[in-house]
Amino acid sequence: MTDMKRRSGGRAARVALRRAPLAENVRPVRAGLEGGQYRPLTDAQVQRIHAAALDALEQIGLSQAPASGVKILTEAGAILGDDGRIRFPRALVEDMLAKAARNITLYGRDPKHDLHLSGNRVHFGTAGAAVHVVDLATNTYRDSTAQDLHDAAKITHALDNVHFFQRAMVCRDIPDNLDMDLNTIYACCAGTTKHVGTSFSEPAHVKPGIELLHRIAGGEDAWRARPFVSNSNCFVVPPMKFAEESCIAMEECIRAGMPVLLLSAGQAGATAPAPIALAIVQAVAECLAGVVYVNAMAPGHPAVFGTWPFVSDLRTGAMSGGSAEQALLTAGCAQMHKFYDLPGGAAAGISDSKLPDMQAGWEQGITNVLAGLSGLNMVYESVGMHASLLGFCLESLVLGDDILGQVLRCVRGIDVTEDNTSIEAMMAVCVGGPGHYLGSDQTLELMQTEYIYPSLGNRMSPKEWNEANRPILLDSAIKRKNAILEQARIQIDPAIDAAIRKDYNIYFN
């Protein structure tokens, strides 16, 4: 056997070996990689934003708190003015920040999907309330349904780089709001054992929603030990107003042991100030009010600091979720989360494009990579979202998994170790060696742990691409989506699933 044949045989053996599943700790990308390499704000600028947010809380305050919220906040030390606005003394905000939960875990039903929110650990997932689904068969938009939501959950369950599933679509085929809220919970939980986020359209729906979650969990004690669903709560209506019904729902969720996402979603130039820095100030002020609210009621309750300011195209006033300004807003918010040492979340990956095309690719890639590099703990809406949150595309969800793989590789950065900078490998190749690194031990050892490869992205040469009948990316995405759905199963014990379907009006298969 020649040297070349021996090298080829060895290479084949090593490649085969590395096609086996890798241990989680040596995978090239995974949930919870440490970001934080990108910081658009200086330390002085962070301090200025913090001081301005405290000024806003102390001098402007928030209006329209529900009676229960007024009681909770004023008993903690907030001041109710004659104008009906609640103002927050600095000392109160600082006291509640000291009590706020840090280093929290958002649980999956399967512990391998637990999300540990600390430091600059990054996790990507879905979110939003799209009212349409993008139908690539006709390139049109149609109303989203409970089945669409369930299908999105099943697809997310199969994607390595999408770490959690927050409700991404509204079930528009369900006329009754309670049925819609319950179906939303069950469609998500039946599709994936990853952490789930949901909302309630009315405070009265929290109790039956929690009862359903107790059944899924196996009882109230099991639920409270590992609450696997969090409440995405728009507790404020920017600028600087509480959302009364959402606040009451939030109170109910806290009593039930459900983690909450304190979500402030102003739109710069419309419901938030146009300057990027001042939009961050308002979002921070509103979320700090939420921190006071939550910790005055239940000190240390798990809450995500959800500064989600969006961007307007100032020519029209329309939302521009895929813009460079949106990427900067999100990254700046991530820095503020780190300043407070609070688990934080914000939005990235939204496309203004109506279809999964080149525009969608650059918008999703740029905004997600800045969010990841900034060390944002929870990157919401990172996949699948089109038309500035109006449309969700299942094929784009699949394509987004490839984008997030590349983003996570950027987040991981460059490993500079003694082994990785030793010139021994160079010596072996350059002095008396083959003159290239193909097939070298070092190359083969690193090909799966140092490098990531797209599932759908095409790296063929033009000749190979032509010989493979010129595959089109969207066709490949449709094929993978269909394969995932064909293989997916309900992620609920069959007996529990049958009992729930008997007792509830479930709209999906």
Side-chain angles (χ1 to χ4, degrees):
M1 181 183 292
T2 66
D3 287 344
M4 181 59 74
K5 287 182 178 178
R6 280 195 296 269
R7 284 198 296 270
S8 298
R11 179 172 185 249
R14 291 189 182 97
V15 171
L17 177 65
R18 285 167 179 79
R19 282 176 179 158
L22 292 168
E24 183 68 18
N25 64 325
V26 297
R27 288 180 57 214
V29 298
R30 51 194 177 276
L33 289 173
E34 287 277 350
Q37 300 95 324
Y38 175 60
R39 303 173 73 248
L41 302 170
T42 66
D43 291 343
Q45 290 169 338
V46 167
Q47 288 285 355
R48 180 172 290 186
I49 288 172
H50 167 59
L54 292 181
D55 286 343
L57 287 172
E58 200 165 43
Q59 298 173 32
I60 301 171
L62 276 75
S63 65
Q64 299 182 18
S68 56
V70 172
K71 184 174 187 296
I72 290 166
L73 291 168
T74 55
E75 287 182 354
I79 300 167
L80 177 62
D82 294 339
D83 58 0
R85 302 188 76 88
I86 293 181
R87 293 174 173 85
F88 299 77
R90 291 173 182 244
L92 172 61
V93 177
E94 291 166 355
D95 287 347
M96 292 305 171
L97 278 170
K99 295 179 180 180
R102 291 170 169 82
N103 303 325
I104 69 173
T105 297
L106 295 181
Y107 297 103
R109 289 214 328 281
D110 186 331
K112 73 180 182 181
H113 297 309
D114 288 355
L115 308 176
H116 304 293
L117 309 191
S118 62
N120 293 310
R121 296 168 67 97
V122 178
H123 310 85
F124 288 94
T126 64
V131 293
H132 299 293
V133 166
V134 183
D135 186 343
L136 292 188
T138 57
N139 283 346
T140 59
Y141 277 48
R142 60 171 175 77
D143 288 353
S144 50
T145 68
Q147 186 65 52
D148 293 321
L149 181 64
H150 181 54
D151 286 348
K154 290 189 290 187
I155 293 168
T156 295
H157 188 72
L159 301 179
D160 288 340
N161 303 317
V162 185
H163 306 132
F164 62 91
F165 185 73
Q166 185 157 306
R167 185 276 312 265
M169 287 169 276
V170 177
C171 304
R172 297 187 69 188
D173 57 331
I174 305 179
D176 180 80
N177 281 343
L178 176 57
D179 275 352
M180 182 182 69
D181 286 351
L182 295 175
N183 271 269
T184 296
I185 291 172
Y186 199 58
C188 296
C189 292
T192 182
T193 59
K194 296 179 180 180
H195 184 80
V196 163
T198 195
S199 301
F200 295 99
S201 55
E202 299 176 27
H205 297 175
V206 176
K207 185 175 184 292
I210 294 294
E211 290 171 351
L212 174 59
L213 288 170
H214 290 173
R215 293 183 68 166
I216 296 170
E220 181 176 358
D221 290 345
W223 157 257
R224 287 185 177 272
R226 289 181 57 87
F228 49 84
V229 176
S230 55
N231 173 226
S232 175
N233 193 287
C234 295
F235 72 104
V236 289
V237 179
M240 302 294 280
K241 297 188 293 289
F242 284 111
E244 296 184 53
E245 288 208 339
S246 293
C247 287
I248 296 169
M250 179 177 72
E251 294 172 19
E252 292 295 319
C253 289
I254 291 170
R255 294 186 187 98
M258 179 180 276
V260 294
L261 164 64
L262 297 168
L263 178 52
S264 162
Q267 187 172 324
T271 56
I276 292 174
L278 195 54
I280 296 174
V281 168
Q282 180 178 297
V284 168
E286 289 168 343
C287 285
L288 285 175
V291 169
V292 175
Y293 201 141
V294 169
N295 288 280
M297 181 179 173
H301 185 82
V304 177
F305 197 75
T307 48
W308 282 27
F310 293 116
V311 169
S312 300
D313 184 319
L314 297 182
R315 299 169 302 180
T316 63
M319 181 182 163
S320 178
S323 62
E325 294 86 3
Q326 180 66 63
L328 288 169
L329 264 177
T330 295
C333 286
Q335 260 189 274
M336 298 309 299
H337 306 162
K338 299 311 120 185
F339 173 74
Y340 297 114
D341 189 27
L342 292 175
I350 304 160
S351 177
D352 302 316
S353 177
K354 311 308 172 284
L355 297 171
D357 54 15
M358 186 173 178
Q359 178 184 340
W362 82 59
E363 291 174 336
Q364 292 168 353
I366 290 171
T367 57
N368 276 321
V369 81
L370 260 63
L373 290 177
S374 69
L376 183 60
N377 290 150
M378 298 285 283
V379 186
Y380 296 92
E381 297 175 332
S382 65
V383 282
M385 275 297 184
H386 289 269
S388 308
L389 299 181
L390 291 176
F392 191 85
C393 179
L394 298 177
E395 291 81 4
S396 187
L397 172 59
V398 173
L399 290 166
D401 189 56
D402 263 8
I403 294 175
L404 294 183
Q406 302 300 315
V407 169
L408 284 163
R409 186 61 190 88
C410 294
V411 172
R412 175 181 160 182
I414 299 171
D415 298 327
V416 181
T417 65
E418 184 174 349
D419 286 345
N420 287 350
T421 56
S422 170
I423 68 168
E424 288 184 8
M426 295 171 61
M427 183 76 72
V429 166
C430 298
V431 181
H436 61 78
Y437 297 92
L438 295 171
S440 73
D441 288 343
Q442 186 182 61
T443 299
L444 293 169
E445 286 167 3
L446 293 178
M447 66 179 297
Q448 296 295 338
T449 59
E450 182 89 353
Y451 290 75
I452 184 169
Y453 309 98
S455 298
L456 296 176
N458 191 311
R459 293 178 175 175
M460 297 175 182
S461 70
K463 180 177 182 294
E464 292 168 328
W465 176 73
N466 191 60
E467 291 172 349
N469 294 321
R470 300 182 294 280
I472 301 300
L473 184 62
L474 288 185
D475 291 342
S476 299
I478 292 169
K479 183 177 179 180
R480 188 178 183 206
K481 178 205 73 172
N482 291 338
I484 290 172
L485 292 177
E486 287 171 5
Q487 297 168 13
R489 60 182 180 83
I490 295 288
Q491 298 296 324
I492 303 286
D493 177 88
I496 295 174
D497 180 58
I500 287 173
R501 290 177 183 274
K502 179 175 180 292
D503 296 341
Y504 294 86
N505 188 18
I506 301 300
Y507 275 70
F508 62 89
N509 295 322

Coordinates of all heavy atoms in Angstrom, one line a residue, residues 101-106 114-123 303-304 338 341-345 377-378 380:
A101 N -33.8 38.7 40.8 CA -33.2 37.4 40.6 C -32.1 37.6 39.5 O -32.3 38.3 38.5 CB -34.2 36.5 40.1
R102 N -31.0 36.9 39.8 CA -29.9 36.8 38.8 C -29.5 35.4 38.6 O -29.9 34.5 39.4 CB -28.7 37.6 39.3 CG -29.0 39.1 39.4 CD -27.9 39.9 40.1 NE -28.1 41.4 39.9 CZ -29.0 42.1 40.5 NH1 -29.7 41.6 41.5 NH2 -29.1 43.4 40.3
N103 N -28.8 35.1 37.5 CA -28.3 33.8 37.2 C -29.5 32.8 37.2 O -29.4 31.7 37.9 CB -27.2 33.4 38.2 CG -26.1 34.3 38.2 OD1 -25.7 34.9 37.1 ND2 -25.5 34.5 39.3
I104 N -30.6 33.1 36.6 CA -31.8 32.3 36.6 C -31.7 31.2 35.6 O -30.9 31.3 34.6 CB -33.1 33.1 36.5 CG1 -33.2 33.6 35.0 CG2 -33.2 34.2 37.5 CD1 -34.5 34.3 34.7
T105 N -32.5 30.2 35.7 CA -32.7 29.1 34.7 C -34.1 29.1 34.2 O -35.0 29.0 35.0 CB -32.3 27.7 35.3 OG1 -30.9 27.7 35.7 CG2 -32.5 26.6 34.3
L106 N -34.3 29.1 32.9 CA -35.6 28.9 32.3 C -35.6 27.4 31.9 O -34.8 27.0 31.1 CB -35.8 29.8 31.1 CG -35.8 31.3 31.4 CD1 -36.1 32.1 30.1 CD2 -36.9 31.6 32.4
D114 N -32.5 23.1 29.3 CA -32.6 24.2 30.3 C -31.7 25.4 29.7 O -30.6 25.1 29.2 CB -32.0 23.7 31.6 CG -33.0 22.8 32.3 OD1 -34.1 22.6 31.9 OD2 -32.6 22.3 33.4
L115 N -32.1 26.6 30.0 CA -31.4 27.8 29.6 C -30.9 28.5 30.8 O -31.7 29.0 31.6 CB -32.4 28.7 28.8 CG -33.2 28.1 27.7 CD1 -34.1 29.1 27.1 CD2 -32.2 27.6 26.6
H116 N -29.6 28.5 30.9 CA -29.0 29.2 32.1 C -28.6 30.6 31.8 O -27.7 30.8 31.0 CB -27.7 28.4 32.5 CG -28.0 26.9 32.8 ND1 -28.8 26.5 33.9 CD2 -27.7 25.8 32.1 CE1 -28.9 25.2 33.8 NE2 -28.3 24.7 32.8
L117 N -29.3 31.5 32.3 CA -29.2 32.9 32.0 C -28.3 33.6 33.0 O -28.7 34.0 34.0 CB -30.5 33.7 31.9 CG -31.7 33.0 31.1 CD1 -32.8 33.9 31.0 CD2 -31.2 32.5 29.8
S118 N -27.0 33.7 32.6 CA -26.0 34.4 33.4 C -25.0 35.0 32.6 O -24.7 34.5 31.4 CB -25.4 33.4 34.4 OG -24.7 32.4 33.7
G119 N -24.3 36.1 33.1 CA -23.3 36.7 32.3 C -23.6 37.0 30.9 O -24.7 37.6 30.6
N120 N -22.8 36.6 30.0 CA -23.0 36.9 28.5 C -23.5 35.6 27.8 O -23.2 35.5 26.6 CB -21.7 37.4 27.9 CG -21.4 38.8 28.4 OD1 -22.2 39.7 28.5 ND2 -20.1 38.9 28.9
R121 N -24.1 34.7 28.4 CA -24.5 33.4 27.8 C -25.6 33.7 26.8 O -26.6 34.3 27.2 CB -24.9 32.4 28.8 CG -23.7 31.9 29.7 CD -24.2 31.1 30.9 NE -24.8 29.8 30.5 CZ -24.1 28.7 30.5 NH1 -22.9 28.6 30.9 NH2 -24.7 27.6 30.1
V122 N -25.5 33.2 25.6 CA -26.4 33.6 24.5 C -27.3 32.4 24.1 O -26.9 31.3 24.0 CB -25.6 34.0 23.3 CG1 -26.6 34.4 22.1 CG2 -24.7 35.2 23.6
H123 N -28.6 32.7 24.0 CA -29.6 31.7 23.5 C -30.5 32.4 22.5 O -31.0 33.5 22.6 CB -30.5 31.2 24.7 CG -29.7 30.8 25.9 ND1 -29.2 31.7 26.8 CD2 -29.2 29.6 26.2 CE1 -28.5 31.0 27.8 NE2 -28.5 29.7 27.4
A303 N -37.4 36.8 36.4 CA -37.9 37.8 35.4 C -36.8 38.1 34.5 O -35.6 38.3 34.9 CB -38.4 39.0 36.1
V304 N -37.1 38.2 33.2 CA -36.2 38.6 32.2 C -36.4 40.1 31.8 O -37.5 40.5 31.6 CB -36.4 37.8 30.9 CG1 -35.5 38.2 29.8 CG2 -36.2 36.3 31.2
K338 N -26.2 43.8 31.1 CA -25.0 43.5 31.8 C -24.6 44.5 32.9 O -24.1 44.1 33.9 CB -23.8 43.4 30.8 CG -24.0 42.3 29.7 CD -24.4 41.0 30.2 CE -25.7 40.6 29.6 NZ -26.3 39.3 30.1
D341 N -26.5 43.5 35.7 CA -26.3 42.1 36.0 C -27.6 41.4 36.1 O -27.9 40.5 37.0 CB -25.5 41.9 37.3 CG -25.1 40.5 37.5 OD1 -24.9 39.7 36.5 OD2 -24.9 40.1 38.7
L342 N -28.5 41.7 35.1 CA -29.8 41.0 35.1 C -30.0 40.1 33.9 O -29.4 40.5 32.8 CB -31.0 42.1 35.1 CG -31.1 42.9 36.3 CD1 -32.2 44.0 36.0 CD2 -31.5 42.1 37.5
P343 N -30.7 39.0 34.0 CA -31.0 38.2 32.8 C -31.8 39.1 31.8 O -32.8 39.7 32.2 CB -31.8 37.0 33.3 CG -32.3 37.5 34.6 CD -31.4 38.5 35.2
G344 N -31.4 39.2 30.6 CA -32.0 40.1 29.6 C -32.4 39.5 28.3 O -31.8 38.5 27.9
G345 N -33.4 40.1 27.7 CA -33.8 39.6 26.3 C -34.1 40.8 25.5 O -34.6 41.9 26.0
N377 N -28.6 37.5 26.5 CA -29.0 36.2 27.0 C -30.1 35.5 26.2 O -30.0 34.3 25.9 CB -29.5 36.3 28.5 CG -28.5 36.7 29.5 OD1 -28.7 37.3 30.5 ND2 -27.2 36.3 29.3
M378 N -31.1 36.3 25.9 CA -32.3 35.7 25.2 C -32.5 36.5 23.9 O -32.9 37.7 24.0 CB -33.5 35.7 26.0 CG -33.4 34.8 27.3 SD -33.5 33.1 26.9 CE -35.3 32.9 26.7
Y380 N -34.8 37.0 21.1 CA -36.1 36.6 20.6 C -36.4 37.0 19.2 O -35.7 37.9 18.7 CB -37.2 37.3 21.5 CG -37.2 36.9 23.0 CD1 -36.4 37.7 23.9 CD2 -37.9 35.9 23.4 CE1 -36.5 37.3 25.2 CE2 -38.0 35.5 24.8 CZ -37.2 36.2 25.7 OH -37.2 35.9 27.0

